[in-house]
Coordinates of all heavy atoms in Angstrom, one line a residue:
M247 N -20.5 -15.4 -12.1 CA -21.4 -14.8 -11.1 C -22.7 -15.6 -11.1 O -23.1 -16.2 -12.1 CB -21.8 -13.4 -11.6 CG -20.6 -12.4 -11.7 SD -20.4 -11.7 -10.2 CE -19.4 -10.3 -10.7
I248 N -23.3 -15.7 -9.9 CA -24.5 -16.5 -9.8 C -25.6 -15.7 -9.2 O -25.4 -14.9 -8.3 CB -24.2 -17.7 -8.8 CG1 -23.0 -18.6 -9.4 CG2 -25.4 -18.6 -8.5 CD1 -22.5 -19.7 -8.6
A249 N -26.8 -15.9 -9.7 CA -28.0 -15.2 -9.3 C -28.5 -15.7 -7.9 O -28.0 -16.8 -7.5 CB -29.1 -15.4 -10.3
P250 N -29.4 -15.0 -7.2 CA -29.8 -15.5 -5.9 C -30.4 -16.9 -5.9 O -30.3 -17.7 -5.0 CB -30.9 -14.5 -5.5 CG -30.5 -13.3 -6.2 CD -29.9 -13.7 -7.5
D251 N -31.0 -17.3 -7.1 CA -31.5 -18.7 -7.1 C -30.4 -19.7 -7.5 O -30.7 -20.9 -7.8 CB -32.7 -18.8 -8.1 CG -32.3 -18.5 -9.5 OD1 -31.1 -18.2 -9.8 OD2 -33.2 -18.6 -10.4
R252 N -29.1 -19.2 -7.5 CA -28.0 -20.0 -7.8 C -27.7 -20.4 -9.2 O -26.9 -21.3 -9.5 CB -28.0 -21.3 -6.9 CG -28.2 -21.1 -5.5 CD -27.2 -20.3 -4.8 NE -26.0 -21.0 -4.6 CZ -24.8 -20.4 -4.3 NH1 -24.8 -19.2 -4.0 NH2 -23.7 -21.1 -4.2
T253 N -28.4 -19.8 -10.2 CA -28.2 -20.0 -11.6 C -27.2 -19.0 -12.1 O -27.3 -17.8 -11.7 CB -29.5 -20.0 -12.4 OG1 -30.1 -18.7 -12.2 CG2 -30.4 -21.1 -12.1
P254 N -26.2 -19.3 -12.9 CA -25.3 -18.4 -13.4 C -26.0 -17.2 -14.2 O -26.9 -17.5 -15.0 CB -24.4 -19.2 -14.3 CG -24.5 -20.6 -13.8 CD -25.9 -20.7 -13.4
L255 N -25.5 -16.0 -14.0 CA -26.0 -14.9 -14.8 C -25.4 -15.0 -16.2 O -24.2 -15.2 -16.3 CB -25.7 -13.6 -14.1 CG -26.3 -13.4 -12.7 CD1 -25.7 -12.1 -12.1 CD2 -27.8 -13.3 -12.8
P256 N -26.1 -14.7 -17.2 CA -25.5 -14.7 -18.6 C -24.5 -13.5 -18.8 O -24.8 -12.4 -18.3 CB -26.7 -14.6 -19.5 CG -27.7 -13.9 -18.7 CD -27.5 -14.3 -17.3
R257 N -23.4 -13.7 -19.4 CA -22.5 -12.7 -19.7 C -23.1 -11.5 -20.5 O -22.7 -10.4 -20.3 CB -21.3 -13.2 -20.5 CG -20.4 -14.0 -19.6 CD -19.0 -14.3 -20.3 NE -18.2 -15.1 -19.5 CZ -17.3 -14.5 -18.7 NH1 -17.2 -13.2 -18.6 NH2 -16.5 -15.3 -17.9
T258 N -24.2 -11.8 -21.3 CA -24.9 -10.7 -22.0 C -25.5 -9.7 -21.1 O -25.7 -8.6 -21.5 CB -25.9 -11.3 -22.9 OG1 -26.8 -12.1 -22.2 CG2 -25.3 -12.2 -24.0
L259 N -25.8 -10.1 -19.8 CA -26.4 -9.2 -18.9 C -25.4 -8.0 -18.6 O -25.8 -6.9 -18.4 CB -26.6 -9.9 -17.5 CG -27.2 -9.0 -16.4 CD1 -28.6 -8.7 -16.7 CD2 -27.0 -9.8 -15.1
F260 N -24.1 -8.3 -18.7 CA -23.1 -7.3 -18.4 C -22.6 -6.5 -19.7 O -21.9 -5.6 -19.6 CB -21.9 -8.0 -17.8 CG -22.2 -8.7 -16.5 CD1 -22.5 -10.0 -16.5 CD2 -22.3 -8.0 -15.3 CE1 -22.8 -10.7 -15.4 CE2 -22.6 -8.6 -14.1 CZ -22.9 -10.0 -14.2
D261 N -23.1 -6.9 -20.8 CA -22.7 -6.3 -22.1 C -23.6 -5.1 -22.4 O -24.3 -5.1 -23.4 CB -22.7 -7.4 -23.2 CG -22.0 -6.9 -24.5 OD1 -21.3 -5.8 -24.4 OD2 -22.1 -7.5 -25.5
R262 N -23.6 -4.2 -21.5 CA -24.4 -3.0 -21.6 C -23.7 -1.8 -21.0 O -22.6 -2.0 -20.4 CB -25.7 -3.2 -20.8 CG -26.6 -4.3 -21.2 CD -27.9 -4.5 -20.4 NE -27.5 -4.9 -19.0 CZ -28.2 -4.5 -17.9 NH1 -29.2 -3.7 -18.0 NH2 -27.8 -4.9 -16.7
P263 N -24.1 -0.6 -21.2 CA -23.4 0.6 -20.6 C -23.3 0.4 -19.1 O -24.2 -0.1 -18.5 CB -24.3 1.7 -21.0 CG -25.0 1.3 -22.3 CD -25.2 -0.2 -22.0
V264 N -22.2 0.9 -18.6 CA -21.9 0.7 -17.2 C -23.0 1.4 -16.3 O -23.3 0.9 -15.2 CB -20.5 1.3 -16.8 CG1 -20.4 2.8 -17.0 CG2 -20.1 0.9 -15.4
L265 N -23.6 2.5 -16.8 CA -24.6 3.2 -16.0 C -25.9 2.3 -15.9 O -26.7 2.6 -15.0 CB -24.9 4.5 -16.5 CG -23.7 5.5 -16.4 CD1 -24.1 6.9 -17.0 CD2 -23.3 5.7 -15.0
D266 N -26.1 1.4 -16.8 CA -27.2 0.5 -16.8 C -26.9 -0.7 -15.9 O -27.8 -1.2 -15.2 CB -27.6 0.0 -18.2 CG -28.1 1.2 -19.0 OD1 -28.6 2.2 -18.5 OD2 -28.0 1.0 -20.3
V267 N -25.7 -1.2 -15.9 CA -25.3 -2.4 -15.2 C -25.0 -2.2 -13.7 O -25.5 -2.9 -12.9 CB -24.0 -3.1 -15.8 CG1 -23.6 -4.3 -15.0 CG2 -24.3 -3.5 -17.3
A268 N -24.4 -1.1 -13.4 CA -23.9 -0.8 -12.0 C -25.0 -0.9 -11.0 O -24.8 -1.5 -9.9 CB -23.2 0.5 -12.0
P269 N -26.2 -0.2 -11.2 CA -27.2 -0.2 -10.1 C -27.6 -1.7 -9.8 O -28.0 -1.9 -8.6 CB -28.3 0.6 -10.7 CG -27.7 1.5 -11.7 CD -26.6 0.7 -12.3
G270 N -27.6 -2.6 -10.7 CA -28.1 -3.9 -10.4 C -27.0 -4.7 -9.7 O -27.4 -5.8 -9.0
L271 N -25.8 -4.3 -9.6 CA -24.7 -5.0 -8.9 C -24.6 -4.5 -7.5 O -24.3 -5.3 -6.6 CB -23.4 -4.8 -9.6 CG -23.2 -5.3 -11.0 CD1 -21.9 -4.9 -11.6 CD2 -23.4 -6.8 -11.0
L272 N -24.9 -3.3 -7.2 CA -24.7 -2.7 -5.9 C -25.7 -3.2 -4.9 O -26.9 -3.3 -5.2 CB -24.7 -1.2 -5.9 CG -23.6 -0.6 -6.8 CD1 -23.8 0.9 -6.9 CD2 -22.2 -0.9 -6.2
G273 N -25.3 -3.6 -3.7 CA -26.2 -4.0 -2.7 C -26.5 -5.5 -2.7 O -27.1 -6.0 -1.8
G274 N -26.1 -6.2 -3.8 CA -26.4 -7.6 -3.9 C -25.2 -8.4 -3.5 O -24.1 -7.9 -3.2
V275 N -25.3 -9.7 -3.5 CA -24.2 -10.6 -3.2 C -24.0 -11.4 -4.4 O -24.9 -12.0 -5.0 CB -24.5 -11.5 -2.0 CG1 -23.4 -12.5 -1.8 CG2 -24.7 -10.7 -0.7
R276 N -22.8 -11.5 -4.9 CA -22.4 -12.3 -6.1 C -21.6 -13.5 -5.5 O -20.8 -13.3 -4.6 CB -21.6 -11.5 -7.1 CG -22.2 -10.2 -7.5 CD -23.5 -10.5 -8.3 NE -24.2 -9.2 -8.5 CZ -25.4 -9.0 -8.2 NH1 -26.1 -10.0 -7.7 NH2 -26.0 -7.9 -8.5
V277 N -21.8 -14.6 -6.1 CA -21.1 -15.8 -5.6 C -20.4 -16.5 -6.7 O -20.8 -17.5 -7.3 CB -22.0 -16.8 -4.9 CG1 -21.3 -17.9 -4.3 CG2 -22.9 -16.1 -3.9
P278 N -19.2 -16.0 -7.2 CA -18.5 -16.7 -8.2 C -17.8 -17.9 -7.7 O -17.5 -18.0 -6.5 CB -17.4 -15.6 -8.7 CG -17.2 -14.7 -7.5 CD -18.6 -14.7 -6.8
T279 N -17.5 -18.8 -8.6 CA -16.8 -20.1 -8.2 C -15.3 -19.9 -8.5 O -15.0 -19.5 -9.7 CB -17.4 -21.3 -9.0 OG1 -18.7 -21.4 -8.6 CG2 -16.7 -22.5 -8.6
T280 N -14.5 -20.1 -7.6 CA -13.0 -20.0 -7.8 C -12.5 -21.5 -7.7 O -13.1 -22.4 -7.3 CB -12.4 -19.2 -6.7 OG1 -12.4 -19.9 -5.5 CG2 -13.1 -17.9 -6.5
P281 N -11.2 -21.6 -8.1 CA -10.6 -22.9 -7.9 C -10.7 -23.5 -6.5 O -10.6 -24.7 -6.3 CB -9.1 -22.7 -8.3 CG -9.2 -21.5 -9.3 CD -10.3 -20.6 -8.7
D282 N -10.8 -22.6 -5.5 CA -10.9 -23.0 -4.1 C -12.3 -23.2 -3.6 O -12.6 -23.4 -2.5 CB -10.2 -22.0 -3.2 CG -8.7 -22.0 -3.4 OD1 -8.1 -23.1 -3.7 OD2 -8.1 -20.9 -3.3
G283 N -13.3 -23.0 -4.6 CA -14.7 -23.1 -4.2 C -15.4 -21.7 -4.4 O -14.8 -20.7 -4.7
P284 N -16.7 -21.7 -4.0 CA -17.4 -20.4 -4.2 C -17.0 -19.4 -3.1 O -16.5 -19.8 -2.0 CB -18.9 -20.8 -4.0 CG -18.8 -22.1 -3.2 CD -17.5 -22.8 -3.6
I285 N -17.1 -18.1 -3.5 CA -16.8 -17.0 -2.5 C -17.9 -16.0 -2.7 O -18.3 -15.6 -3.8 CB -15.4 -16.5 -2.8 CG1 -15.0 -15.4 -1.8 CG2 -15.3 -16.0 -4.2 CD1 -13.6 -15.0 -1.8
A286 N -18.4 -15.5 -1.6 CA -19.5 -14.5 -1.6 C -18.8 -13.1 -1.6 O -17.9 -12.8 -0.8 CB -20.3 -14.6 -0.4
L287 N -19.3 -12.3 -2.6 CA -18.8 -10.9 -2.7 C -19.9 -9.9 -2.7 O -21.0 -10.2 -3.3 CB -18.0 -10.8 -4.1 CG -16.9 -11.7 -4.3 CD1 -16.4 -11.6 -5.8 CD2 -15.7 -11.4 -3.4
R288 N -19.8 -8.8 -2.0 CA -20.8 -7.8 -2.0 C -20.2 -6.5 -2.6 O -19.4 -5.8 -2.0 CB -21.3 -7.5 -0.6 CG -22.4 -6.5 -0.6 CD -22.9 -6.2 0.9 NE -23.2 -7.4 1.6 CZ -24.4 -8.0 1.6 NH1 -25.4 -7.5 0.8 NH2 -24.6 -9.1 2.3
P289 N -20.5 -6.2 -3.9 CA -19.9 -5.0 -4.5 C -20.4 -3.8 -3.8 O -21.6 -3.6 -3.5 CB -20.5 -5.1 -6.0 CG -20.8 -6.5 -6.2 CD -21.3 -7.0 -4.8
T290 N -19.4 -2.9 -3.5 CA -19.8 -1.6 -2.8 C -19.5 -0.4 -3.7 O -19.8 0.7 -3.3 CB -18.9 -1.5 -1.5 OG1 -17.6 -1.5 -1.9 CG2 -19.3 -2.6 -0.6
G291 N -19.0 -0.7 -4.9 CA -18.7 0.5 -5.8 C -18.4 -0.1 -7.2 O -18.1 -1.3 -7.4
T292 N -18.7 0.7 -8.2 CA -18.3 0.3 -9.6 C -17.6 1.5 -10.3 O -17.8 2.6 -9.9 CB -19.6 -0.1 -10.4 OG1 -20.4 1.1 -10.5 CG2 -20.4 -1.2 -9.7
K293 N -16.9 1.2 -11.3 CA -16.2 2.2 -12.1 C -16.2 1.8 -13.5 O -16.1 0.6 -13.9 CB -14.7 2.4 -11.6 CG -14.6 2.9 -10.2 CD -13.2 3.1 -9.9 CE -13.0 3.6 -8.5 NZ -12.3 2.8 -7.6
A294 N -16.3 2.8 -14.4 CA -16.1 2.6 -15.8 C -14.7 2.3 -16.1 O -13.8 3.0 -15.5 CB -16.7 3.7 -16.6
P295 N -14.3 1.4 -16.9 CA -12.9 1.1 -17.1 C -12.1 2.2 -17.7 O -10.8 2.2 -17.6 CB -12.9 -0.1 -18.1 CG -14.2 -0.2 -18.6 CD -15.2 0.5 -17.7
D296 N -12.7 3.2 -18.3 CA -11.9 4.3 -18.9 C -12.1 5.6 -18.1 O -11.6 6.6 -18.4 CB -12.4 4.6 -20.3 CG -13.9 4.8 -20.4 OD1 -14.6 4.7 -19.4 OD2 -14.4 5.2 -21.5
G297 N -12.7 5.5 -16.9 CA -12.8 6.7 -16.0 C -11.6 7.0 -15.3 O -10.7 6.1 -15.0
P298 N -11.4 8.2 -14.8 CA -10.2 8.5 -14.0 C -10.0 7.8 -12.7 O -8.9 7.7 -12.2 CB -10.3 10.0 -13.8 CG -11.7 10.3 -13.9 CD -12.3 9.3 -14.9
G299 N -11.0 7.2 -12.2 CA -10.9 6.4 -10.9 C -10.6 5.0 -11.2 O -10.4 4.2 -10.2
S300 N -10.5 4.6 -12.4 CA -10.3 3.2 -12.8 C -8.8 2.8 -12.7 O -7.9 3.6 -13.0 CB -10.8 2.9 -14.2 OG -10.3 1.7 -14.7
Q301 N -8.6 1.6 -12.4 CA -7.2 1.0 -12.4 C -6.6 0.9 -13.8 O -5.5 0.7 -14.0 CB -7.2 -0.3 -11.7 CG -7.6 -0.3 -10.2 CD -6.7 0.4 -9.3 OE1 -5.5 0.3 -9.5 NE2 -7.2 1.1 -8.4
A302 N -7.5 1.0 -14.8 CA -7.1 0.8 -16.2 C -7.1 2.1 -17.0 O -6.7 2.0 -18.2 CB -8.0 -0.2 -16.8
H303 N -7.3 3.2 -16.4 CA -7.5 4.4 -17.3 C -6.1 4.9 -17.9 O -6.2 5.6 -18.9 CB -8.2 5.6 -16.5 CG -7.3 6.5 -15.8 ND1 -6.8 6.2 -14.5 CD2 -6.8 7.7 -16.1 CE1 -6.1 7.2 -14.1 NE2 -6.1 8.2 -15.1
R304 N -5.0 4.4 -17.4 CA -3.7 4.8 -18.0 C -3.2 3.8 -19.0 O -2.1 3.9 -19.5 CB -2.7 5.0 -16.9 CG -3.0 6.3 -16.1 CD -1.8 6.6 -15.2 NE -1.9 7.9 -14.5 CZ -2.4 8.0 -13.3 NH1 -2.7 7.0 -12.6 NH2 -2.6 9.2 -12.8
G305 N -4.0 2.8 -19.2 CA -3.6 1.8 -20.2 C -3.7 0.3 -19.7 O -3.7 0.1 -18.5
R306 N -3.6 -0.6 -20.6 CA -3.7 -2.0 -20.3 C -2.3 -2.5 -19.7 O -1.3 -2.2 -20.2 CB -4.0 -2.8 -21.5 CG -4.5 -4.2 -21.4 CD -5.0 -4.7 -22.7 NE -5.5 -6.0 -22.5 CZ -6.3 -6.6 -23.4 NH1 -6.6 -6.0 -24.5 NH2 -6.8 -7.8 -23.2
T307 N -2.4 -3.3 -18.6 CA -1.2 -3.9 -18.0 C -1.6 -5.3 -17.6 O -2.8 -5.7 -17.6 CB -0.8 -3.1 -16.7 OG1 -1.8 -3.3 -15.7 CG2 -0.6 -1.6 -16.9
P308 N -0.6 -6.1 -17.3 CA -1.0 -7.5 -16.8 C -1.9 -7.5 -15.6 O -2.8 -8.3 -15.5 CB 0.4 -8.1 -16.5 CG 1.3 -7.4 -17.3 CD 0.8 -6.0 -17.4
R309 N -1.8 -6.5 -14.7 CA -2.6 -6.4 -13.5 C -4.0 -6.1 -13.8 O -4.9 -6.6 -13.2 CB -2.0 -5.3 -12.6 CG -2.8 -5.1 -11.4 CD -2.1 -4.0 -10.5 NE -3.1 -3.5 -9.6 CZ -2.9 -2.3 -9.0 NH1 -1.9 -1.6 -9.2 NH2 -3.9 -1.9 -8.2
N310 N -4.3 -5.2 -14.8 CA -5.7 -4.8 -15.1 C -6.2 -5.4 -16.4 O -7.3 -5.0 -16.8 CB -5.8 -3.3 -15.1 CG -5.1 -2.7 -16.3 OD1 -4.9 -3.3 -17.3 ND2 -4.6 -1.4 -16.1
D311 N -5.5 -6.4 -16.9 CA -5.9 -7.0 -18.2 C -7.4 -7.5 -18.2 O -8.1 -7.4 -19.2 CB -5.0 -8.2 -18.5 CG -5.2 -8.7 -19.9 OD1 -5.0 -7.9 -20.9 OD2 -5.5 -9.9 -20.1
V312 N -7.9 -8.0 -17.1 CA -9.2 -8.6 -17.1 C -10.3 -7.5 -17.4 O -11.3 -7.8 -17.9 CB -9.5 -9.2 -15.7 CG1 -9.6 -8.2 -14.6 CG2 -10.8 -10.1 -15.7
M313 N -9.9 -6.2 -17.1 CA -10.8 -5.1 -17.4 C -11.0 -4.9 -18.9 O -12.0 -4.2 -19.3 CB -10.4 -3.9 -16.7 CG -10.4 -4.0 -15.2 SD -9.8 -2.5 -14.4 CE -11.2 -1.5 -14.4
S314 N -10.1 -5.4 -19.7 CA -10.2 -5.3 -21.2 C -10.8 -6.6 -21.8 O -10.9 -6.7 -23.0 CB -8.9 -5.0 -21.8 OG -8.3 -3.8 -21.3
G315 N -11.2 -7.5 -21.0 CA -11.7 -8.8 -21.5 C -13.2 -8.7 -21.8 O -13.8 -7.6 -21.8
P316 N -13.8 -9.9 -21.9 CA -15.2 -9.9 -22.3 C -16.1 -9.5 -21.1 O -15.7 -9.5 -19.9 CB -15.4 -11.4 -22.6 CG -14.4 -12.1 -21.8 CD -13.2 -11.2 -21.8
P317 N -17.3 -9.1 -21.4 CA -18.3 -8.7 -20.3 C -18.5 -9.8 -19.3 O -18.5 -11.0 -19.7 CB -19.5 -8.3 -21.1 CG -19.1 -8.1 -22.5 CD -17.9 -8.9 -22.7
G318 N -18.7 -9.4 -18.1 CA -19.0 -10.4 -17.0 C -17.8 -10.8 -16.2 O -17.9 -11.5 -15.2
N319 N -16.6 -10.3 -16.5 CA -15.4 -10.6 -15.7 C -15.4 -9.5 -14.5 O -15.9 -8.4 -14.7 CB -14.1 -10.5 -16.4 CG -13.9 -11.6 -17.4 OD1 -14.4 -12.7 -17.1 ND2 -13.2 -11.4 -18.5
A320 N -14.8 -9.8 -13.4 CA -14.7 -8.9 -12.3 C -13.3 -8.6 -12.0 O -12.4 -9.4 -12.1 CB -15.4 -9.5 -11.1
Y321 N -13.0 -7.4 -11.6 CA -11.7 -6.9 -11.2 C -11.9 -6.4 -9.8 O -12.7 -5.5 -9.5 CB -11.2 -5.8 -12.1 CG -9.9 -5.2 -11.6 CD1 -8.6 -5.8 -12.0 CD2 -9.8 -4.1 -10.8 CE1 -7.5 -5.2 -11.5 CE2 -8.6 -3.5 -10.4 CZ -7.5 -4.1 -10.8 OH -6.3 -3.6 -10.4
A322 N -11.2 -6.9 -8.8 CA -11.3 -6.5 -7.4 C -10.0 -6.1 -7.0 O -9.0 -6.6 -7.3 CB -11.8 -7.7 -6.6
H323 N -10.0 -5.0 -6.2 CA -8.7 -4.5 -5.6 C -8.9 -4.2 -4.1 O -10.0 -3.9 -3.7 CB -8.1 -3.3 -6.4 CG -9.0 -2.1 -6.3 ND1 -8.8 -1.1 -5.3 CD2 -10.0 -1.7 -7.0 CE1 -9.7 -0.2 -5.5 NE2 -10.4 -0.5 -6.5
S324 N -7.9 -4.3 -3.4 CA -8.0 -4.0 -2.0 C -7.7 -2.5 -1.8 O -7.0 -1.9 -2.5 CB -7.0 -4.8 -1.1 OG -5.7 -4.6 -1.5
T325 N -8.3 -2.0 -0.8 CA -8.1 -0.6 -0.5 C -7.4 -0.5 0.9 O -7.8 -1.1 1.8 CB -9.4 0.2 -0.4 OG1 -10.1 0.0 -1.6 CG2 -9.3 1.6 -0.1
H326 N -6.3 0.1 0.9 CA -5.4 0.2 2.1 C -5.9 1.4 2.9 O -6.3 2.4 2.4 CB -4.0 0.3 1.7 CG -3.5 -0.9 0.9 ND1 -3.2 -2.1 1.4 CD2 -3.3 -1.0 -0.4 CE1 -2.9 -2.9 0.5 NE2 -2.9 -2.3 -0.7
G327 N -5.7 1.3 4.2 CA -6.0 2.4 5.1 C -7.4 2.5 5.6 O -7.9 3.4 6.1
I328 N -8.2 1.5 5.3 CA -9.6 1.5 5.7 C -9.7 1.0 7.2 O -9.1 0.0 7.5 CB -10.5 0.6 4.8 CG1 -10.6 1.2 3.4 CG2 -11.9 0.4 5.5 CD1 -11.5 0.4 2.5
S329 N -10.4 1.7 8.0 CA -10.6 1.2 9.4 C -12.1 1.1 9.6 O -12.9 1.8 9.0 CB -10.0 2.1 10.4 OG -10.6 3.4 10.3
R330 N -12.5 0.2 10.5 CA -13.9 0.0 10.9 C -14.2 0.8 12.2 O -13.5 0.6 13.2 CB -14.2 -1.4 11.1 CG -14.2 -2.3 9.9 CD -14.6 -3.7 10.2 NE -14.4 -4.5 9.0 CZ -14.6 -5.8 9.0 NH1 -15.0 -6.4 10.1 NH2 -14.4 -6.5 7.9
G331 N -15.2 1.6 12.1 CA -15.7 2.2 13.4 C -16.5 1.2 14.2 O -17.1 0.3 13.7
S332 N -16.6 1.4 15.5 CA -17.4 0.5 16.3 C -18.9 0.9 16.1 O -19.2 2.1 15.9 CB -17.0 0.6 17.7 OG -17.1 1.9 18.2
A333 N -19.7 -0.1 16.1 CA -21.2 0.1 15.8 C -21.9 0.6 17.1 O -21.5 0.3 18.1 CB -21.8 -1.1 15.3

């Protein structure tokens, strides 16, 4: 993850309770670097990894393994059936 001034955010920033971390993530743009280059992401929601809405609440799987890793990793999933209304 990269801060607005383009400096990487320290992983320790994320090593806090989810209710402390989440408000700072929402509404901002994160720009992680991928093997294909940087990609801009705008988080629109957060979940605690052990909550009932989490992809990991039923246990660790290869798909959700990143959620059990060190602080600062991101897990993104697509939501099917979303449509955009006209503005």
